[in-house]
Each structure stands twice: as structure tokens, then as C-alpha cells.
């Protein structure tokens, strides 16, 4: 389909070692982009990169695909600690010019707001909001200079509608709304778009760990979803990948939910 390929584009996906980040990286790579999987968990990011590169080798019918490792052209892994400005600067130097930036990484610490630890608030602010701001500040000028770019910020339906125990998390993720809309206006003439994707209840290892301590939680969540199932990382990745293509060139400054109908607008 015309306008759906990303051949020759370089993409960065933060939090790429996680379930949603890995799915986003896989979709972008499948469309032809060279993807940098960025994560504080470098071994996890390397596994994702190796898996993606292995899939490319298999698709090409090349031998030795099972032995391929991260760091090869097409899918690379780089460490970045979004709580550290110096780490972000080193990462940007290593990543080189980038056409697509998916700010997916995030930290969620669930606790009632009145009992919350401000130290946890600081960590969530650093990773969920300040980190994407710093990363974008360093990578956006190159997109503007080259006259093309895609910024996608992964927020949360909890930031749109509120979520018990996630006051500080929701606040930091909600900050991405204003950032994306401002960047959409400031960078529009350079053909750089900026959009926000908000996952709703999604079946990830993190959710499964939480539900293991609270039997029946998943069933309870599913009953609140009009489509009567949890989302999958692939559900989120599909929208993100589309927003990065030329077919989405006229979509900018938008906040879109992937929630099975929990959030409607």
C-alpha cells in the first residue's frame, strides 16, 4: 500500500525492552525502518534487537539467523537512563540522526496520593516527562532541518480519565499532551508531526504480575471494557506505526486512545 513504508527512516523506541515497546519496534522494523531499541535494561533491549534482526535474516532466507546478535544494521540496542540528562546526551550522540522518535518508556508507582512518597513523584517526573522533553529537544532540530519527522508520545488512559493510586503517574503522563500539541504547532512547517497514543487496559507482564497478587483482577478489568478483552501490545503498536507513515502526514496534535472503548471521545 502506497505511503505505508518506512524504508530509509531511522527510528528510536524508548522502553523498547518492554512488551509494548518491543511490539512498536517490531512493527516499525517490518515497515522498513532502522530501529534503535533504547532502554535502561540493555540486555533486554539487546534480546529484542537480536530477535528483530533474526526475523529479517529469516525473511531474507539467509543462513545463521539463529546466531545473530544485537548491534547489526536494521535493529540495534542502546542503553539510556531517562532519569539522567547526561545519559540522554550520550545516547543521542550514539544514536545519530533520527527521523522517528517514539517516547514509550515510563515508570508507574501505584500508591494513594495522600500517602505518596515525593521521591517517587520525582522519579516518575524525570522518566515520564522530563526525559521525553530532553530527548525530543536533542532530536527534533535534526528532523526540522531535514524537513520530515514523526514524534509519538505514549501516555495512558489513566492520564486522560484518572486512575486510582496513580495520581503522580497520571500527572506526569498528562504533561505529554501539552508537549505534543505545542510541538505539533511549532514543527508543522517542517513536516514534523507530534501525536499522543494512550493505551488502556493492556495485557503485559506488568499487569500479570499485579494480577497474580490480586486474583480476579483481570476478569474485573475485562468487564469494564466494551470489547470485552484486554488490549495487546500489538494493538498499540499498530496505531503507532501508522502515525509514523506518510499516510498519517495530515494527523498532528492528536491524542488517541487504544482502550477497547473504555475511553470514548
Amino acid at each position: 500500500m502506497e505511503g505505508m513504508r518506512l524504508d530509509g527512516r531511522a527510528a528510536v523506541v524508548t522502553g523498547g525492552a518492554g512488551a509494548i515497546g518491543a511490539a512498536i519496534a517490531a512493527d516499525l522494523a517490518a515497515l522498513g525502518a532502522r530501529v534503535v531499541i533504547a532502554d535502561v535494561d540493555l540486555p533486554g533491549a539487546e534480546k529484542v534487537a537480536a530477535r528483530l534482526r533474526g526475523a529479517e535474516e529469516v525473511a531474507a532466507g539467509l543462513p545463521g539467523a539463529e546466531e545473530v546478535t544485537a548491534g547489526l544494521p536494521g535493529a540495534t540496542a542502546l542503553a539510556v537512563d531517562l532519569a539522567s540528562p547526561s545519559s540522554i546526551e550520550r545516547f543521542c550522540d550514539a544514536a545519530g540522526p533520527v527521523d522517528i522518535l517514539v517516547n514509550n518508556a515510563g515508570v508507574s508507582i501505584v500508591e494513594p496520593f495522600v500517602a505518596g512518597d515525593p521521591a517517587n513523584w520525582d522519579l516518575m517526573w524525570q522518566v515520564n516527562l522530563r526525559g521525553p522533553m530532553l530527548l525530543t529537544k536533542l532530536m527534533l532540530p535534526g528532523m526540522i532541518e531535514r524537513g520530515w519527522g514523526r514524534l509519538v508520545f505514549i501516555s495512558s488512559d489513566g492520564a486522560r480519565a484518572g486512575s486510582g493510586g496513580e495520581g503522580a503517574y497520571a500527572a506526569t503522563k498528562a504533561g505529554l499532551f501539552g508537549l505534543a500539541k505545542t510541538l505539533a504547532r511549532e514543527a508543522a512547517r517542517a513536516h514534523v508531526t507530534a501525536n499522543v497514543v494512550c493505551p488502556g487496559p493492556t495485557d503485559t507482564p506488568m499487569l500479570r504480575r499485579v494480577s497474580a497478587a490480586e486474583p480476579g483482577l483481570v476478569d474485573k478489568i475485562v468487564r469494564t471494557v466494551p470489547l470485552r478483552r484486554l488490549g495487546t501490545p500489538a494493538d498499540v503498536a499498530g496505531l503507532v506505526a501508522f502515525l509514523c507513515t506518510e499516510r498519517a502526514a495530515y494527523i498532528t496534535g492528536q491524542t488517541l486512545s487504544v482502550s477497547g472503548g473504555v475511553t470514548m471521545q
Side-chain angles (χ1 to χ4, degrees):
M1 184 183 296
E2 186 178 354
M4 288 295 289
R5 295 292 301 175
L6 293 171
D7 300 290
R9 302 296 187 187
V12 163
V13 180
T14 67
I20 293 177
I24 293 170
D27 275 9
L28 295 178
L31 294 178
R34 292 178 291 109
V35 184
V36 175
I37 293 90
D39 207 291
V40 69
D41 174 13
L42 182 58
E46 287 173 339
K47 289 179 182 178
V48 173
R51 188 163 65 246
L52 294 183
R53 182 60 184 172
E56 293 170 1
E57 298 286 329
V58 169
L62 300 178
E66 304 82 4
E67 301 174 4
V68 76
T69 59
L72 296 175
T76 57
L78 288 175
V80 63
D81 180 359
L82 292 180
S84 168
S86 61
S87 176
I88 292 172
E89 290 179 4
R90 290 193 299 271
F91 169 81
C92 290
D93 288 341
V98 169
D99 305 298
I100 297 165
L101 173 58
V102 181
N103 283 292
N104 166 71
V107 172
S108 175
I109 300 172
V110 179
E111 54 190 6
F113 182 76
V114 295
D117 183 347
N120 291 336
W121 302 353
D122 286 344
L123 176 62
M124 286 185 277
W125 170 70
Q126 291 166 8
V127 174
N128 298 347
L129 184 55
R130 187 186 68 179
M133 291 176 71
L134 291 174
L135 197 57
T136 303
K137 181 176 176 61
L138 292 172
M139 292 187 167
L140 179 56
M143 297 181 191
I144 292 173
E145 181 179 346
R146 292 186 296 274
W148 196 94
R150 298 288 185 267
L151 301 171
V152 181
F153 299 89
I154 307 301
S155 182
S156 167
D157 256 14
R160 299 189 78 176
S163 179
E166 292 187 319
Y169 171 78
T172 58
K173 283 292 191 177
L176 297 174
F177 302 159
L179 175 62
K181 290 178 181 179
T182 298
L183 295 177
R185 294 185 183 278
E186 292 185 355
R189 292 189 179 182
H191 306 287
V192 177
T193 65
N195 293 289
V196 180
V197 172
C198 293
T202 307
D203 192 357
T204 63
M206 180 182 296
L207 176 61
R208 292 294 173 178
R209 286 194 297 271
V210 172
S211 65
E214 189 177 337
L217 176 63
V218 170
D219 290 339
K220 187 184 302 183
I221 292 173
V222 167
R223 286 195 295 271
T224 70
V225 181
L227 287 179
R228 288 297 188 269
R229 70 171 176 87
L230 294 176
T232 68
D235 291 324
V236 179
L239 175 57
V240 173
F242 171 70
L243 290 172
C244 293
T245 68
E246 199 59 34
R247 280 295 180 95
Y250 204 55
I251 301 173
T252 194
Q254 303 304 307
T255 298
L256 305 167
S257 288
V258 182
S259 66
V262 173
T263 302
M264 297 189 183
Q265 187 174 11

